[in-house]
Amino acid sequence: MKTPELTTQDQARLQQFLDQLHEDASVVLGYPSAQDFDYSSLHPFLGLQLNNVGDPFDDGTYKVDSRDFEREVLQEWAELVNAPEENWWGYVTNGGTEGNLYGLYLARELHPNSIVYFSQDTHYSVTKNLHFLNMRNIMIRSQPNGEIDYEDLYETLRVNRDVTPIIFANIGTTMTEAKDDIGRIKNMFADLAIGDYYIHSDAALCGAILPFMQEKANFDFADGAHSLAISGHKFIGSPIPCGIVLALQDNVNRIGRSIAYIGSMDTTVTGSRNGFTPLVLWHAMRRFGREGMRHRVQHCIALAEYAEQQLQNVGIPAWRNPGAITVVFPAAPAVLQDKWQLATANGISHIIVMPHIKREQIDSFVEDMRALRAQENPQ
Amino acid sequence: MKTPELTTQDQARLQQFLDQLHEDASVVLGYPSAQDFDYSSLHPFLGLQLNNVGDPFDDGTYKVDSRDFEREVLQEWAELVNAPEENWWGYVTNGGTEGNLYGLYLARELHPNSIVYFSQDTHYSVTKNLHFLNMRNIMIRSQPNGEIDYEDLYETLRVNRDVTPIIFANIGTTMTEAKDDIGRIKNMFADLAIGDYYIHSDAALCGAILPFMQEKANFDFADGAHSLAISGHKFIGSPIPCGIVLALQDNVNRIGRSIAYIGSMDTTVTGSRNGFTPLVLWHAMRRFGREGMRHRVQHCIALAEYAEQQLQNVGIPAWRNPGAITVVFPAAPAVLQDKWQLATANGISHIIVMPHIKREQIDSFVEDMRALRAQENPQ
């Protein structure tokens, strides 16, 4: 059968929409989506229907897949987050939510009698995941910088020592890019003689930043994580939401058995899986290399420092968490929230200095903030 | 920052991989992935990071999205599956699993004291979904054609009248494209005086076929479904797995409250959502129109009839369910399963006659089957 074409009218509508999007995208300062990419060499793959259905380490009957590339991507990131060499498993997900859902699912299967602990500043999708999975959970206070309140956590763990703790650690909270210190949390377990526990690192943003920093936070497998999720469309950059989830192979095998028991063969959350995004993530790492990623990280941190300074210079009490590319300040006026697409919650706004952000955009934003404040508070 | 390029070596590797894929894709007869598409007019959108984060009917702060197009796609399919005009909600998912997960989740929230009934021939992802969601469930026998055994279902419902039944109906099973008749199941409820129930239609394949047939099976909202999932990468055709899930707005609102209670604001399973696939589904429907879809369906059914006949002509007892584009026959020899990428289970193989399949491919496959049989059973 011959495939028909779009009408001229529909084509014109698409073009107009595309132009509008480019305009909108140029003023995104509030969302962590890297835009410094050009994946046009991959577009021909959209002529096919790639489907990495099932486990990335199995070869299925359906051959139109990119599992080879997916495995290379996983290998690269497993190394970067210090997964034990012969004891990791993972796959490319549709984004952060799926990676976290997988990590929590794994934790639940391993520890049916457990409580999940997570801070107040945790992304809203996590409570939904927990509700989905029917998991007992306790929300812990956050510190003003967005990091989990270790004292509250300690006290809560202490009174629930009869139930296995599952820690959902934020490695970069949504609003302030705060990182929970899983090394410190592990010490609590030792102190409380809690031998059985599980730690999942939600490293959506920072999982792609920290491996390239001199002084890294405690967040990865070397620091005690049992599973870890990274977003592909945040710091790495992808036109389509995607992510990487990694977990200890031993644990995956243990629940593999329970999955076989319930009559299911595959290990991933979704069955049919996007075969295009593994190519995107492969392309990014081949293009940048680790050295290029290090440069991107340095660039962003330097520019975030600059933005923080410039905002302070015009009288705005901006601040950053250590090593963060997120600059936090009191809620921006609504008109600027809208213009610069700033996420705002609980009285604070932020800008996130991603690799494609230019100094001129920061300057222009700071000038907008200054002008509006001057207008509102005339001297 | 300037974006580096791929090395010549990496580019060559991609090209080689692309050529290999085109070769592999040309011999897929066993998987329901339509290949008659050319979405190159959408490729420029991959220069951006579209993200339809959250509810498709809300306008978020992040403006780089394709929600307008997503809503048009949903509107079109809501009409096609007879969703009540002012009482439906839905979104574009990452594929069948997510749509089914959403439907089952909705059912669980509405009916906490419930049992899910599904047939033996149900896709393996469903038992995994049920396990995820911690839902009580009972597997019902299948008839030889893959349809649910109504007697077994009736008897099982009868002895469990104290618990709300949730029916997971297959509208096209994976192996034989059998369709459970939800009209008949509704009659059982009436007969057993069961007033409270929920029906989810997993119409991954047939949801995009049945609306374009003269005599349609009982599967949609008009027939009693409360939610329904359709795959986008099966009969419609998409380079990336995707799907549509639709549900009754009343029900979504009722659980909306419970989601607000657990502290979460959004209604979709995933948070960040692919903004490219709604464009793909929009493109497909604008390109084909309902008339074009009707032609595609007729073409596939006619060619499936032909394939069934040709296989019978060489002595293979091939058969089809009524109106099906799937032709079933005793398990093909391993070498042909591999060559033609045929899914095989429980002693049967199938080919699925998708719109891009040509008569010559059928002939070539039938000839392979004939030749191998002649070789194995020389006269």
Side-chain angles (χ1 to χ4, degrees), chain A residues 267-283:
Chain A
T267 29
T268 58
V269 173
T270 38
S272 285
R273 293 191 305 111
N274 194 325
F276 185 71
T277 45
L279 291 176
V280 163
L281 297 177
W282 178 85
H283 192 286

Side-chain angles (χ1 to χ4, degrees), chain B residues 155-173:
Chain B
E155 278 314 301
T156 317
L157 284 171
R158 202 177 55 78
V159 298
N160 291 289
R161 286 164 81 171
D162 54 323
V163 187
T164 307
I166 296 171
I167 301 291
F168 184 93
N170 290 307
I171 311 302
T173 55

Side-chain angles (χ1 to χ4, degrees), chain A residues 1 3-7 10-11 13-15 17-18 21-22 24-25 28 31-39 41-51 53-54 61-66 68-69 72 94 97-98 101-102 105 108-109 124-125 127-129 131-134 233-234 238-241 258-259 262-276 279 282-283 286-288 292 295-296 299 337-339 341-343 355, chain B residues 1 3-7 10-11 13-15 17-18 21-22 24-25 28 31-39 41-51 53-54 61-66 68-69 72 94 97-98 101-102 105 108-109 124-125 127-129 131-134 233-234 238-241 258-259 262-276 279 282-283 286-288 292 295-296 299 337-339 341-343 355:
Chain A
M1 292 191 72
T3 273
E5 297 285 332
L6 282 188
T7 63
D10 281 340
Q11 277 169 16
R13 182 173 166 204
L14 281 179
Q15 188 55 51
F17 175 54
L18 185 64
L21 285 173
H22 274 290
D24 290 337
V28 176
Y31 288 87
S33 42
Q35 307 278 356
D36 58 333
F37 56 71
D38 175 0
Y39 294 112
S41 56
L42 298 178
H43 294 177
F45 290 94
L46 292 172
L48 292 145
Q49 205 218 291
L50 289 171
N51 190 338
V53 53
T61 325
Y62 186 77
K63 293 172 190 167
V64 186
D65 66 22
S66 64
D68 276 351
F69 291 82
E72 284 181 35
N94 288 304
T97 308
E98 185 178 344
L101 189 64
Y102 182 79
Y105 171 60
R108 185 191 79 180
E109 295 302 292
Y124 61 83
S125 65
T127 37
K128 192 173 54 181
N129 276 347
H131 186 61
F132 250 80
L133 293 167
N134 248 345
H233 57 290
K234 293 197 165 80
S238 163
I240 291 170
S258 86
I259 293 178
I262 61 158
S264 161
M265 311 271 289
D266 68 344
T267 29
T268 58
V269 173
T270 38
S272 285
R273 293 191 305 111
N274 194 325
F276 185 71
L279 291 176
W282 178 85
H283 192 286
R286 298 299 297 180
R287 212 167 73 235
F288 295 127
H295 279 130
R296 285 171 94 229
H299 164 85
Q337 283 178 34
D338 192 59
K339 172 173 175 187
Q341 303 176 44
L342 306 178
Chain B
M1 290 191 74
T3 272
E5 298 285 331
L6 281 189
T7 63
D10 281 340
Q11 279 170 16
R13 183 175 164 202
L14 281 179
Q15 188 55 52
F17 175 53
L18 185 65
L21 285 173
H22 275 290
D24 289 337
V28 177
Y31 288 87
S33 42
Q35 308 278 355
D36 59 332
F37 56 70
D38 176 0
Y39 294 112
S41 56
L42 297 178
H43 294 179
F45 289 93
L46 292 172
L48 291 145
Q49 205 217 289
L50 289 171
N51 190 338
V53 54
T61 326
Y62 186 78
K63 293 172 189 165
V64 186
D65 66 23
S66 64
D68 276 351
F69 291 81
E72 284 183 34
N94 288 305
T97 307
E98 185 178 344
L101 189 63
Y102 182 79
Y105 171 62
R108 185 191 78 180
E109 295 301 293
Y124 61 81
S125 65
T127 37
K128 192 173 53 182
N129 275 347
H131 185 62
F132 249 80
L133 293 167
N134 248 347
H233 57 289
K234 292 197 165 79
S238 163
I240 290 170
S258 86
I259 293 179
I262 60 159
S264 161
M265 312 270 288
D266 68 344
T267 31
T268 58
V269 173
T270 38
S272 286
R273 293 191 306 112
N274 194 325
F276 185 71
L279 291 176
W282 177 86
H283 192 285
R286 297 299 298 179
R287 212 167 74 232
F288 294 127
H295 279 131
R296 284 171 95 229
H299 164 85
Q337 284 180 34
D338 191 59
K339 173 174 174 186
Q341 303 176 45
L342 307 177

